[in-house]
Amino acid sequence: MKRSTARWILLLLTAINFVNYMDRFVIAGMYDALHTEFGISNAEFGLLTTITFGLHAATTIPFGWLADRWNRRWLVFGAVASWSIATILCAGVKDFWMLAALRGFVGLAEAAYGPVSIVILCEIFPEEKKAQTIGIYNVGMFLGTGVGLAMGASLSRHLAFIVVGAPGLALGALALIMPVSATRVVQDTRRTSLREKAHLFWSQLTHLMSLRTLRWMLVGGVLVSFSAGGYITFVQTFVARFKPGF
């Protein structure tokens, strides 16, 4: 693959990652607006994040398995389009539980994007460039989180969800023309039944979890994500409430 083509794919996937985190954390800047409109408590506000992250965590591994076996361009498009539409629909909700359901769907759709995007980047860049490549890709995560918080705090709820949700539709469409192979592995036509596929998935998962280093990495990742998620969810509210002149 040409270097310019690989860079274009990296730019596109980083932009989608930016939108990913912008859509995920835009709600963290909306506590006051949601409290006024729906009368939600701190616990209910935290529940919105718990639902999003819970569904995200529960479906990331299955989506990773699917990313090795299904058309990856369509998987990226489907993921981005789904969470973008769900985000836009949040602008029109009338009650807390409808908002919670849509935020859960956002987390579910976002779970499909991470594994497939990382695999694509690792395939199109050489071994010695992988760390740098993933570092660039993760810039979208940090910028998207900051912009999402700012949008949620500065715009009305209705406008914020539309503004952060709309760009994903265009970026998702661009993913359909990425010049990458449709699938990562050749399908084994001998494995056709759902039971056999489930057995294959479970055997691969068991093998991965047998690696001690990976287990400790997962524990560390969970603890970091747990603390970061809680911090990001309430930091804007905390500053506005207790440090208004900061």
Side-chain angles (χ1 to χ4, degrees), residues 36-173:
T36 300
E37 187 171 358
F38 299 130
I40 68 171
S41 63
N42 289 338
E44 288 172 326
F45 191 59
L47 179 62
L48 291 174
T49 302
T50 300
I51 292 172
T52 303
F53 278 76
L55 286 173
H56 188 285
T59 55
T60 294
I61 292 178
F63 276 126
W65 185 83
L66 184 63
D68 284 337
R69 291 158 177 80
W70 201 54
N71 188 304
R72 298 185 294 183
R73 291 188 291 268
W74 279 102
L75 185 59
V76 172
F77 169 74
V80 182
S82 296
W83 86 58
S84 298
I85 292 172
T87 299
I88 293 171
L89 290 177
C90 287
V93 298
K94 302 298 183 183
D95 60 70
F96 170 80
W97 290 111
M98 180 58 70
L99 179 63
L102 287 171
R103 295 303 298 173
F105 190 78
V106 168
L108 180 71
E110 288 179 342
Y113 177 67
V116 65
S117 59
I118 294 294
V119 168
I120 290 173
L121 291 176
C122 288
E123 285 182 358
I124 64 176
F125 284 93
E127 187 75 26
E128 64 274 13
K129 293 287 187 180
K130 287 183 179 179
Q132 178 185 5
T133 300
I134 301 304
I136 295 172
Y137 170 82
N138 280 332
V139 169
M141 172 178 64
F142 296 108
L143 292 179
T145 299
V147 172
L149 283 168
M151 291 290 186
S154 60
L155 301 177
S156 69
R157 172 177 71 87
H158 308 280
L159 182 59
F161 278 126
I162 293 173
V163 168
V164 303
L169 298 175
L171 292 173

Side-chain angles (χ1 to χ4, degrees), residues 161-214:
F161 278 126
I162 293 173
V163 168
V164 303
L169 298 175
L171 292 173
L174 286 175
L176 291 174
I177 61 173
M178 284 192 301
V180 296
S181 59
T183 57
R184 181 169 180 253
V185 297
V186 178
Q187 294 283 356
D188 185 351
T189 56
R190 294 171 298 175
R191 297 183 180 272
T192 55
S193 72
L194 181 61
R195 182 177 180 179
E196 288 175 323
K197 291 179 180 179
H199 175 74
L200 175 62
F201 170 74
W202 181 253
S203 63
Q204 292 173 336
L205 179 61
T206 303
H207 170 69
L208 288 174
M209 294 307 296
S210 68
L211 304 176
R212 183 180 180 185
T213 301
L214 179 61

